[in-house]
Amino acid sequence: MQSSSFLPEEHLQLPDHPGVYKYFNNEDELIYVGKAKSLKKRVSSYFNKNTGVNLKTRRMVKEIRRIEITLVDSELDALLLENNLIKKVQPRYNILLRDDKTYPYLLITKEHFPRIFQTRKHIPKRGTYFGPFASVKAMNNVLDLIRDLFTIRTCKLDLSPYKIDEAKYKVCLEYHIGNCQGPCEGLQKEQQYLKDLEQAKHILKGNLGVPKAYFRQEMQALSENLEFEKAQKMKNKLDLLEKYQSKSLITSPSIQNLDVCTLVSDEKYAYVNYMRVINGAMITSKNVELKKKLDESSEELLLTALVRLQDQFQSNAEEILVNIEPENPIEGLNLTVPKIGDKKKLIDLSLKNALYYKKEKALLQGLNQDKKDRVIRQLQQDLSLPEIPDHIECFDNSNIQGTNPVASMVCFLAGKPAVKEYRHYHIKTVEGPNDFASMKEIVGRRYKRLIEEEKPLPKLIVIDGGKGQLSSAVEALQELGVYGKMPIIGIAKRLEEIYFPGDSYPIHIDKKSESLKLLQRIRDEAHRFAITFHRNVRSKNAFGTQLTGITGIGENTADKLLKHFKSVKNIKSATESELIAVIGSSRSKALLEWMEKNKGA
C-alpha cells in the first residue's frame, strides 16, 4: 500500500487506481473515508458536480482542506481497508452501524485439558475463540449440547502432567454425577479428552456432519465388540445431535457455507438483516440499523453493512446472497441475487426479518414520539401557555468566587435535546460574581442575535434561578422589544418552584408530573453544560498561565496548543512529534522538559 496527500484543488492529479480516500477539515480532523475503483473519478465527482448533490454532501465538501489517499490492489481491498478505518476513527460523515452491544464468544482455552466457557473479552493468546454469537440463547444451546455429548471439565485446576502425577487433586461432584471423567486424578488420558474436544470444535464451527459420523463409527465398533450398553449411549448422543440439527435446520443440508444479507430502507434509515448459514443451519442472525449521512444508495448501504457484519462475526463465506443487484460487481466478492429454490427462500426469510425490524423500530419511534408530545402538551397545560412548547431554551450561569464567569444555553426541540443548538458564553460586560447582570447579558446576546438572523424564537424560555435571575432576563427581553412574545419562567431548585414575571407567588407542579420532570431535565442539562464549560475554561486558563512562564512560550503558542489539542489532557499526552508539528522543535523541547518536571502536579 502507498499513501499520498493532496489539496482539494489537486483532485485531478489523483491516480486512476483502486484505493481509499480520506478527507480532512481545517483542524486536520478526519471527517470522511471512502473507497473507489478509480480514485480520480470518484474524488473528482465530489468537486465537479453542481446539481443533484444533497445539502449534507455540499456541506462536507466545503469543509475539506486536505485529501489523503492509499493505493491498494483491488476494489475489495479498498472496501476492507475502508471498513477498518471507519471502525477505528468513526468519521462524522460516514455511516455507522447503530449497535453498541458487546457479543459473547465461546473460548477453548490453551492449556492441558482445555476448558470451554463464555466470555465477552477477546484476548487471542488465551486460546481459540468461536463467535461472536448474536444470541446468548443460541450460544447457551450449543454449549449445553457440547456438555451433554462430551465430558468437558468445568474446574479451573492446573492439570499439568507433573501436578497430576503428584496427586495434588481429588475428584469433585462433577465426576460423581457423570459430567467429568476425573482427569485431575489421571482417570482420563489427555489424548482421549482432546479427541472429544476436536468433535466439539466441529459443532462450534457448524460442521455437524463430522461428529455425527464419529458417533456412528463409535456405535458400530462397540456393537461389533458386543458392548451394547456403551453402543446405546453413543446412539443416544447421535439422536441428541440429530434433534439439535433438525431444530436449527432452515433449508437443505446441501447448502454449504454462505451468508445472507438483505436491506430495506426509508428516507432517513436503512434496516439490515444478516444471517450465516452452514450446512443448511442458521448459526447467526442479526438485525442492524444504519442512519443515512450523505444520501447513500441502497447498494452502498448494503455493502457497508455486509463488510462490517462479516468482520464482526468473523465470516469467510464464499457466497453471499443479497436482495439488491450490484451495478458494478466487486471482484473477489461473490454476491448473488437468487430467483428460485432454497436460496430464494433464504432471501425471503432474511427480508421478512428486516421488514419486521423496520416495523418494530417505527412502532417504538411512534410510541416515543407520542410520549414526548404528551409531555409537552401537559407542560403547556400546567403553565397555561398559549402554544405547545416544542422549542424550549434554558439558561444557566457558572462561576466560582467570580473567576472565569461563563454561561450556557441548552435547547430542547419536541421534548428532546438539540445538542447542535447548545451555546456557551463568556461573560464580557460584568465584573465580579454578579449572577443577575450575567443573566441579563447572555439572554440579551442570545435573542439579539436570533432577531438579527431572523431565526425562530423559542416557545418557552427557562431561567435556572429564582425571581432575581428571572427579573434580569425580563429586562433584557424588554430592551430588545420582545418581552411578551415568548413565555418565560424561572425555576428555583430548592423547592422546584416555578416563577412567572411580575408574580410574587410561585406555582408548584405535582412532583410526580412528567412535565416537571422535563423541566428538571432541561434545567439540569443547562447546569451540567455550564459547569463543564467553566471547568474547561479554568483548566485552560490555569494551564495557559503556567505555559507562558516557560522560556520561549508566549500567549500565541499557548493558544495554538489549546486550539489544536482541544484540552490540557490531550496536550500532556501528546507525543514529541505531535507537539513539533504544532509549535516547532525548540518550543516542544522546552514544553516536554517542563511537563516532565511538573509531572503529577
Side-chain angles (χ1 to χ4, degrees):
M1 290 191 292
Q2 179 184 346
S3 296
S4 306
S5 186
F6 295 80
L7 295 174
E9 55 268 25
E10 298 172 342
H11 60 84
L12 293 175
Q13 300 176 24
L14 294 172
D16 187 11
H17 197 279
V20 166
Y21 55 93
K22 295 182 276 186
Y23 293 154
F24 294 84
N25 64 10
N26 196 40
E27 296 176 348
D28 215 35
E29 172 195 6
L30 180 60
I31 58 173
Y32 186 75
V33 175
K35 56 103 178 102
K37 190 173 183 179
S38 167
L39 286 166
K40 183 174 184 176
K41 291 177 183 176
R42 181 62 176 148
V43 175
S44 295
S45 70
Y46 284 96
F47 298 95
N48 295 338
K49 283 184 181 178
N50 294 318
T51 58
V53 179
N54 72 354
L55 183 62
K56 288 182 180 178
T57 304
R58 288 201 297 268
R59 187 188 304 152
M60 180 191 73
V61 172
K62 285 181 181 178
E63 291 184 39
I64 300 170
R65 294 294 177 271
R66 182 168 69 86
I67 302 168
E68 192 174 290
I69 65 165
T70 303
L71 302 180
V72 294
D73 293 330
S74 68
E75 193 177 359
L76 178 58
D77 289 338
L79 186 63
L80 298 175
L81 178 57
E82 176 198 40
N83 170 58
N84 289 334
L85 289 169
I86 292 171
K87 185 171 65 173
K88 182 179 178 181
V89 184
Q90 298 192 351
R92 81 172 81 148
Y93 286 108
N94 279 104
I95 309 163
L96 302 174
L97 266 60
R98 307 188 90 186
D99 184 17
D100 55 0
K101 296 178 183 177
T102 57
Y103 295 99
Y105 294 83
L106 285 177
L107 167 65
I108 297 182
T109 57
K110 192 183 292 183
E111 60 183 329
H112 290 285
F113 295 93
R115 294 171 290 140
I116 304 177
F117 59 85
Q118 172 191 342
T119 180
R120 290 182 186 267
K121 295 180 180 178
H122 194 287
I123 307 171
K125 66 180 181 181
R126 293 180 68 188
T128 304
Y129 288 82
F130 295 87
F133 290 85
S135 164
V136 174
K137 183 179 178 181
M139 180 199 66
N140 287 334
N141 285 343
V142 72
L143 185 57
D144 290 342
L145 174 69
I146 288 170
R147 286 177 174 162
D148 286 340
L149 295 175
F150 310 105
T151 51
I152 306 296
R153 73 179 179 111
T154 57
C155 66
K156 297 181 180 179
L157 299 177
D158 177 4
L159 298 187
S160 303
Y162 75 92
K163 290 203 172 183
I164 295 173
D165 292 342
E166 290 177 0
K168 283 183 170 288
Y169 310 118
K170 293 290 183 183
V171 293
C172 64
L173 179 63
E174 289 291 293
Y175 170 78
H176 294 293
I177 61 177
N179 291 338
C180 178
Q181 293 187 34
C184 58
E185 283 194 27
L187 302 177
Q188 183 184 25
K189 299 302 179 185
E190 189 167 7
Q191 185 179 357
Q192 180 58 43
Y193 185 94
L194 293 176
K195 189 178 177 183
D196 285 351
L197 195 69
E198 195 61 36
Q199 300 306 317
K201 286 181 181 180
H202 285 297
I203 294 173
L204 289 171
K205 292 175 183 176
N207 301 327
L208 300 185
V210 177
K212 281 171 69 176
Y214 168 76
F215 286 127
R216 283 197 188 95
Q217 289 171 3
E218 289 290 307
M219 183 177 67
Q220 185 69 30
L222 290 166
S223 297
E224 290 174 359
N225 289 335
L226 306 181
E227 297 181 74
F228 299 117
E229 189 174 337
K230 290 182 179 180
Q232 182 61 42
K233 287 182 180 180
M234 287 297 143
K235 185 180 184 305
N236 292 342
K237 291 184 178 184
L238 181 60
D239 291 343
L240 194 63
L241 195 55
E242 287 181 336
K243 185 179 178 182
Y244 174 83
Q245 186 178 29
S246 67
K247 283 184 178 180
S248 60
L249 194 70
I250 57 169
T251 186
S252 169
S254 62
I255 290 182
Q256 297 300 309
N257 182 15
L258 60 78
D259 286 354
V260 186
C261 193
T262 59
L263 176 142
V264 292
S265 63
D266 53 31
E267 289 184 4
K268 293 184 178 179
Y269 297 95
Y271 307 90
V272 174
N273 173 259
Y274 168 76
M275 299 192 310
R276 287 190 66 193
V277 179
I278 295 179
N279 296 330
M282 180 172 64
I283 66 168
T284 298
S285 180
K286 174 68 184 167
N287 295 316
V288 293
E289 180 185 55
L290 295 87
K291 185 176 182 180
K292 297 179 181 179
K293 293 290 184 78
L294 301 175
D295 197 27
E296 296 85 358
S297 68
S298 294
E299 183 184 342
E300 285 179 290
L301 292 165
L302 182 69
L303 282 174
T304 298
L306 172 63
V307 170
R308 293 186 205 173
L309 287 164
Q310 282 196 309
D311 178 42
Q312 185 177 27
F313 291 99
Q314 300 175 11
S315 170
N316 58 354
E318 294 178 0
E319 183 180 10
I320 302 151
L321 307 184
V322 293
N323 68 318
I324 297 169
E325 189 85 52
E327 289 184 18
N328 302 299
I330 296 176
E331 188 178 345
L333 201 60
N334 185 12
L335 302 179
T336 307
V337 182
K339 304 299 182 185
I340 58 172
D342 289 330
K343 291 181 179 180
K344 177 62 167 64
K345 290 178 184 177
L346 283 173
I347 283 289
D348 292 341
L349 177 63
S350 179
L351 263 175
K352 186 177 180 180
N353 277 276
L355 287 165
Y356 180 79
Y357 183 60
K358 179 187 176 185
K359 183 179 177 182
E360 194 178 45
K361 284 287 184 178
L363 180 63
L364 183 62
Q365 188 177 4
L367 290 173
N368 288 340
Q369 190 58 49
D370 287 345
K371 181 180 178 182
K372 288 170 192 167
D373 290 345
R374 186 182 73 242
V375 173
I376 58 177
R377 285 180 185 277
Q378 182 63 46
L379 183 61
Q380 179 190 16
Q381 184 179 328
D382 289 341
L383 299 180
S384 302
L385 301 175
E387 294 181 89
I388 295 174
D390 54 4
H391 178 179
I392 303 173
E393 295 186 351
C394 180
F395 295 84
D396 185 30
N397 294 325
S398 180
N399 70 76
I400 296 177
Q401 298 176 346
T403 63
N404 307 119
V406 297
S408 71
M409 185 282 295
V410 299
C411 176
F412 275 56
L413 299 177
K416 185 178 178 181
V419 179
K420 290 182 179 179
E421 302 300 322
Y422 285 16
R423 297 293 181 269
H424 284 137
Y425 296 93
H426 289 279
I427 304 301
K428 297 178 179 179
T429 63
V430 181
E431 292 185 6
N434 189 333
D435 282 345
F436 299 156
S438 297
M439 184 63 71
K440 180 180 178 181
E441 178 190 324
I442 60 169
V443 171
R445 285 166 57 187
R446 169 63 176 170
Y447 297 115
K448 182 174 184 286
R449 181 159 189 167
L450 287 188
I451 293 166
E452 288 173 350
E453 295 178 354
E454 298 182 349
K455 290 185 177 179
L457 298 173
K459 305 288 182 60
L460 176 64
I461 302 171
V462 179
I463 304 299
D464 184 8
K467 288 186 285 186
Q469 284 94 336
L470 179 61
S471 297
S472 300
V474 167
E475 286 179 28
L477 297 179
Q478 288 172 335
E479 291 178 8
L480 292 170
V482 292
Y483 179 60
K485 294 182 179 180
M486 299 173 282
I488 181 170
I489 62 170
I491 178 168
K493 192 169 185 177
R494 190 169 64 88
L495 297 174
E496 305 295 15
E497 297 170 328
I498 309 296
Y499 286 93
F500 283 87
D503 195 337
S504 302
Y505 298 98
I507 68 167
H508 293 87
I509 299 177
D510 185 349
K511 292 285 192 292
K512 296 181 181 178
S513 168
E514 289 180 320
S515 59
L516 178 62
K517 288 178 180 176
L518 175 61
L519 284 177
Q520 289 170 329
R521 184 186 174 199
I522 294 170
R523 186 268 317 280
D524 293 345
E525 178 69 352
H527 186 66
R528 178 200 66 78
F529 199 51
I531 287 291
T532 303
F533 183 49
H534 187 255
R535 188 180 296 123
N536 291 340
V537 169
R538 284 203 329 268
S539 177
K540 286 182 179 180
N541 286 349
F543 191 68
T545 303
Q546 289 176 312
L547 288 179
T548 54
I550 303 171
T551 304
I553 295 182
E555 288 186 14
N556 289 339
T557 303
D559 288 344
K560 193 181 290 186
L561 284 165
L562 290 166
K563 184 178 180 181
H564 180 84
F565 291 104
K566 310 297 183 190
S567 71
V568 173
K569 182 181 177 182
N570 289 344
I571 295 174
K572 290 182 175 180
S573 61
T575 63
E576 184 175 2
S577 59
E578 289 172 335
L579 292 171
I580 290 172
V582 178
I583 60 173
S585 58
S586 60
R587 292 187 181 92
S588 297
K589 185 177 179 182
L591 176 58
L592 287 167
E593 288 175 356
W594 178 85
M595 287 195 295
E596 184 63 32
K597 288 179 184 177
N598 294 273
K599 189 179 290 184

